[in-house]
């Protein structure tokens, strides 16, 4: 069965059927060919306000549904993702420029997110507290109400699902705003899967749209919590706006994650790890390895092997077998990548591989002789660029790795894992991988960054999801009405 059998979606609000959008429609465009794949609704502020009001009404009924029924919807959604995996992966290739392996892996992550969230619905939701009074005192977790989710273009399916699925499992309604560049794979797919899984009408609202829609989503009084994944610059605006409205904002933002290669690391394996960390999905990942810190004794060999891997990678149409890297999402992003490479070279960095592009296809690039004054050292690249900087001591490695506004993920490659862990203790970061690269995510693990990378672990695992998408409520109960002196 075809999940999305009509390539013109005339609406943008998921209420069981597509509705005309007040914001009109927008093209769905292939970054590979530039051709129009279809059209989808484009939401305005009024659309968001209407959807949030409808979601608030639907949420009260959804929260009252027994947890077994909510879990069953999530399980059916997981099965539907599995059933329609080929079509969904095809949309990720066409719309997001995902290579086949990345697209397949992203669908797999969506499946696991649905199943893990199904299990979340039956988790204990409170604790009995001690009380100095003769009464039952307890703290319980209750749904926040309506969760607003703003998801980006790079991993559009899973970066929407990792908030949508646990929020629904815990009894919330959701208003989802995918990036308009990936409104099908990051929005329409999720909405249709949950519709077919039996999610009640109105509980999930899907609205592709631009800044106006996003601003209304953050400000709307019917939306209690905002879950945002995107750039640090945009995240600051979301956080500021949410603060003015006294609502929680979970911010998963940018990164410039270091991979540290110690002198006892296997250089062949290290180069493979580094290539994957920097070049997967054209480097368009928040956790991408943005800085390669390599011990001076290995640096020349590491750069040579890393450059050879970069030169060997096939860049082109994701629909073609053997393609390792697809296109950059749009021309503007491609130009930002190339500007950063150009400025870094002007500052003294040496190009050992890549540094060129054809249309929206950017060659995987290795920059050597990078210093702390190089633009590629300080700025998030969000492209297939591997800047290499050398160090001589552990103290210097820790200092260089920590010399960043970001703190999302850290990889350390070493023959002595305990030594790696001791080094990690000195570097502010939300995620640490000893003997692996910086890009990883699992539905069962907490995910999030510190510093300019976000507001901590707000997704993944039972505890983080409960904290993100519920409120703590104190309840007491006595056998008789309390007596007071007046």
């Amino acid at each position: 069965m075809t999940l999305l059998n009509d390539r013109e979606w005339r609406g943008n609000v998921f209420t069981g059927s597509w509705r005309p959008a007040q914001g009109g429609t927008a093209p769905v465009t292939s970054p590979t060919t530039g051709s129009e794949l279809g059209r989808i609704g484009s939401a305005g502020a009024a659309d968001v306000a209407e959807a949030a009001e409808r979601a608030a009404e639907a949420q009260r009924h959804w929260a009252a549904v027994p947890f077994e029924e909510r879990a069953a919807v999530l399980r059916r959604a997981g099965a539907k993702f599995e059933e329609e995996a080929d079509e969904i992966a095809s949309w990720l290739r066409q719309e997001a420029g995902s290579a086949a392996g990345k697209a397949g892996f992203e669908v797999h992550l969506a499946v696991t997110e649905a199943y893990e969230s199904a299990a979340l619905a039956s988790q204990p939701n409170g604790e009995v507290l001690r009380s100095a009074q003769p009464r039952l005192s307890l703290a319980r977790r209750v749904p926040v109400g309506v969760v607003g989710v703003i998801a980006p273009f790079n991993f559009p399916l899973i970066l929407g699902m990792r908030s949508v699925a646990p929020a629904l499992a815990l009894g919330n309604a959701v208003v989802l705003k995918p990036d308009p560049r990936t409104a099908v794979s990051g929005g329409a797919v999720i909405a249709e899967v949950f519709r077919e899984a039996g999610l009640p009408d109105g509980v999930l609202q899907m609205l592709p749209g631009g800044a106006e829609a996003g601003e209304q989503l953050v400000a709307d009084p019917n939306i209690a919590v905002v879950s945002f994944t995107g750039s640090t610059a945009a995240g600051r605006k979301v956080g500021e706006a949410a603060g003015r409205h006294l609502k929680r904002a979970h911010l998963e933002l940018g990164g410039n994650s270091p991979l540290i290669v110690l002198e006892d690391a296997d250089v062949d394996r290290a180069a493979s790890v580094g290539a994957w960390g920097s070049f997967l999905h054209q480097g368009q990942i928040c956790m991408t390895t943005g800085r390669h810190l390599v011990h001076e004794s290995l640096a020349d060999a590491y750069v040579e092997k890393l450059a050879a891997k970069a030169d060997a990678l096939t860049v082109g149409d994701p629909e073609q077998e053997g393609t390792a890297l697809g296109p950059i999402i749009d021309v503007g992003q491609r130009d930002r990548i190339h500007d950063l490479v150009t400025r870094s070279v002007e500052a003294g960095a040496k190009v050992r591989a890549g540094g060129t592009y054809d249309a929206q296809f950017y060659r995987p690039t290795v920059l050597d002789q990078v210093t702390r004054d190089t633009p590629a050292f300080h700025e998030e690249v969000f492209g297939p660029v591997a800047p290499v900087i050398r160090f001589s001591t552990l103290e210097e490695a820790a200092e260089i790795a920590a010399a960043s506004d970001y703190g999302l993920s850290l990889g350390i490659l070493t023959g002595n894992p305990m030594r790696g862990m001791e080094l990690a203790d000195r570097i502010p970061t939300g995620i640490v991988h000893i003997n692996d690269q910086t890009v990883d995510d699992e539905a069962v693990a907490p995910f999030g960054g510190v510093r300019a990378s976000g507001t901590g672990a707000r997704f993944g695992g039972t505890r983080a999801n409960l904290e993100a998408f519920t409120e703590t409520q104190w309840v007491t109960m006595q056998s008789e009405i309390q007596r007071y002196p007046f």
Side-chain angles (χ1 to χ4, degrees), residues 48 52 145-149 175 216-226 247:
V48 176
V146 182
V147 176
V149 178
V175 177
Q216 179 64 33
L217 187 145
V218 176
D220 195 281
N222 283 307
I223 295 176
V225 167
V226 176
K247 63 178 66 177

Side-chain angles (χ1 to χ4, degrees), residues 189-230:
V189 162
I190 296 173
E192 186 63 15
V193 162
F194 276 102
R195 186 188 70 81
E196 295 198 15
L199 186 68
D201 186 34
V203 178
L204 173 61
Q205 309 280 327
M206 193 285 290
L207 301 96
E212 178 187 339
E215 290 167 3
Q216 179 64 33
L217 187 145
V218 176
D220 195 281
N222 283 307
I223 295 176
V225 167
V226 176
S227 179
F228 173 86
T229 303

Side-chain angles (χ1 to χ4, degrees), residues 420-446:
M421 195 65 219
E422 290 168 2
L423 176 60
D425 287 342
R426 302 162 63 180
I427 302 167
T429 184
I431 301 166
V432 176
H433 298 298
I434 306 297
N435 282 331
D436 204 351
Q437 43 79 42
T438 56
V439 181
D440 203 356
D441 190 12
E442 290 188 63
V444 295

Side-chain angles (χ1 to χ4, degrees), residues 310-328:
D311 287 337
L313 291 173
T314 301
V315 181
D317 186 345
E319 297 289 347
Q320 299 298 316
E321 185 176 352
T323 297
L325 277 66
I328 302 301

Side-chain angles (χ1 to χ4, degrees), residues 221-276:
N222 283 307
I223 295 176
V225 167
V226 176
S227 179
F228 173 86
T229 303
S231 72
T232 297
R236 291 186 193 278
K237 294 178 182 179
V238 169
E240 290 169 2
R244 288 196 299 273
H245 296 284
L246 300 179
K247 63 178 66 177
R248 297 208 315 261
H250 305 312
L251 306 176
E252 200 281 283
L253 310 177
N256 191 2
S257 299
L259 175 68
I260 303 176
V261 184
L262 299 184
E263 74 276 7
D264 58 353
D266 182 305
V267 72
D268 290 309
R269 289 191 177 185
S272 174
V273 166
W276 184 265

